[in-house]
Amino acid sequence: MMPLSMAKAGEVVVIRKITGKDEVRQHLAELGLVVEESVKVVNVVGGNLILQVKDSRVALDRTMANRIMF
């Protein structure tokens, strides 16, 4: 498994594991980032990611992206 921060722009990945405190995992789940969900990396800017999750776009900083494994 690798952290989401290692994904390249245009890549579609399936989330395998989310680490961190319960509050962090709950926040990510509210954004649609849950285990077994596929997400597309739209763009990477300075280590920060823009993701396509279902019909929404979500921006994550590198710290949050490091907690999501694919």
Side-chain angles (χ1 to χ4, degrees):
M1 284 191 288
M2 297 190 327
L4 191 56
S5 59
M6 301 290 288
K8 306 280 189 256
E11 195 172 351
V12 176
V13 300
V14 177
I15 297 172
R16 297 291 175 209
K17 182 180 179 183
I18 299 176
T19 62
K21 294 182 180 178
D22 288 344
E23 309 89 65
V24 172
R25 293 199 320 266
Q26 178 65 34
H27 176 67
L28 292 172
E30 289 167 0
L31 296 173
L33 298 165
V34 293
V35 175
E36 298 302 318
E37 181 68 44
S38 58
V39 297
K40 179 178 182 180
V41 179
V42 176
N43 202 353
V44 180
V45 181
N48 302 321
L49 285 81
I50 299 174
L51 307 172
Q52 180 81 35
V53 184
K54 297 182 182 168
D55 293 333
S56 303
R57 288 198 176 186
V58 177
L60 285 183
D61 67 359
R62 180 184 294 275
T63 305
M64 286 294 219
N66 280 331
R67 294 183 175 150
I68 302 171
M69 303 292 176
F70 70 98

